[in-house]
Amino acid sequence: MAVGVFDSGLGGLTVHKAIAARLPDLPLVYYGDNAHTPYGVRTAEDIFDLTTAGVERLWDEGCDLVILACNTASAAALRRIQEKWLPADKRVLGVFVPMIEALTERHWGDNSPPREVSVKHVALFATPATVASRAFQRELAFRAVGVDVEAQPCGGVVDAIEQGDEILAEALVTSHVEALLRRMPHPEAAILGCTHYPLVEDAFQRALGPGVKVYSQAGLVAESLADYLVRHPEMLGTGAESKFLTTGDPVRVSGKATQFLRSRIRFESA
């Protein structure tokens, strides 16, 4: 009954942790493509190829349902995966929609026409590839009208987090927030459009100020998955064992992951 969690590196561990807390009896297989991180500076074709390779590896582990806990993969590859590549008996879900549903105060699965919402000015912080894809704006337009989105590509933040350099990560966050505020001085909400960013969420909040509501994805994705599995129990796969897989060096990645989440995690070679 395992579900797969895919990420370009360590950021998806924030989503994995939230799912494990929400669904403690659900086996989870995590796949981190640490050998090729970060995805945020790669081409859409490269991201598609790397993502589908990871998804197929998770299928081998008995995960018929895979969560792309990587905003860049969700933005650059998910639509093509779902429309042109995915077999009928498999599912791949992204991390954008649960957050947009929360922002627009919609219930999961609400497919009514787009409507006016209370939030009018939204700051989006994401990797360069996610920003370039405009996937967030596209998905938002299906659900809301009249929302102004200002997107800031946050180059270097993922690298700093993966390297464990908190000082550099926080300095970069401050710089990127200041750049966005010059273009949108008074955002009402901020979207952390990368699963690495919850680890520096406090830095985003400090730089934005207390009047801006910051949305990050982990808990929202976990709730959305729980709801999805109630509606689609047939998508639970045959896998029965939780594990962490990486395309990188398992010893090094395990050490970084343990530092990352402040709890011991042991990766195996993918």
Side-chain angles (χ1 to χ4, degrees), residues 221-245:
V221 171
E223 287 295 335
S224 183
L225 175 61
D227 176 77
Y228 182 88
L229 291 176
V230 168
R231 292 183 287 114
H232 301 283
E234 73 280 3
M235 291 316 302
L236 287 168
T238 58
E241 182 183 358
S242 293
K243 61 179 65 175
F244 296 88
L245 305 173

Side-chain angles (χ1 to χ4, degrees), residues 21-263:
R22 178 65 178 83
L23 299 166
D25 296 325
L26 178 67
L28 295 171
V29 181
Y30 184 91
Y31 175 102
D33 192 14
N34 301 81
H36 301 105
T37 196
Y39 279 17
V41 295
R42 293 183 175 275
T43 66
E45 192 67 28
D46 198 13
I47 293 165
F48 177 83
D49 290 343
L50 292 169
T51 301
T52 51
V55 169
E56 288 179 326
R57 180 65 182 86
L58 287 166
W59 289 347
D60 292 342
E61 292 291 331
C63 302
D64 293 341
L65 168 62
V66 175
I67 306 297
L68 295 190
C70 173
N71 287 269
T72 302
S74 293
L78 180 60
R79 174 164 290 205
R80 180 177 170 189
I81 286 172
Q82 291 177 333
E83 293 179 352
K84 299 182 179 180
W85 182 80
L86 198 63
D89 61 339
K90 310 290 186 186
R91 294 290 183 275
V92 177
L93 304 177
V95 288
F96 269 136
V97 171
M99 189 162 52
I100 291 172
E101 288 171 338
L103 178 70
T104 57
E105 299 179 340
R106 287 192 174 222
H107 296 294
W108 296 300
D110 179 354
N111 293 315
S112 59
R115 58 176 182 260
E116 292 275 347
V117 295
S118 59
V119 175
K120 301 298 184 185
H121 303 285
V122 176
L124 169 66
F125 298 96
T127 66
T130 296
V131 170
S133 75
R134 295 188 61 82
F136 177 84
Q137 290 91 325
R138 184 175 63 242
E139 294 291 344
L140 180 63
F142 291 144
R143 295 162 178 83
V145 295
V147 180
D148 180 23
V149 177
E150 188 66 51
Q152 174 65 31
C154 297
V157 175
V158 169
D159 285 319
I161 292 173
E162 292 269 342
Q163 292 162 10
D165 192 335
E166 294 182 20
I167 294 174
L168 175 58
E170 292 186 7
L172 288 168
V173 166
T174 300
S175 175
H176 289 308
V177 170
E178 289 174 349
L180 181 135
L181 291 177
R182 287 194 287 272
R183 303 191 305 275
M184 178 183 277
H186 303 291
E188 298 161 270
I191 301 297
L192 303 189
C194 174
T195 48
H196 284 74
Y197 296 175
L199 293 150
V200 286
E201 182 173 345
D202 289 347
F204 276 102
Q205 189 71 74
R206 282 195 301 272
L208 287 161
V212 180
K213 181 174 176 56
V214 175
Y215 289 82
S216 62
Q217 295 166 307
L220 297 171
V221 171
E223 287 295 335
S224 183
L225 175 61
D227 176 77
Y228 182 88
L229 291 176
V230 168
R231 292 183 287 114
H232 301 283
E234 73 280 3
M235 291 316 302
L236 287 168
T238 58
E241 182 183 358
S242 293
K243 61 179 65 175
F244 296 88
L245 305 173
T246 179
T247 57
D249 172 33
V251 174
R252 182 178 180 277
V253 173
S254 296
K256 290 291 185 184
T258 298
Q259 176 187 1
F260 202 68
L261 288 186
R262 295 177 171 82
S263 60

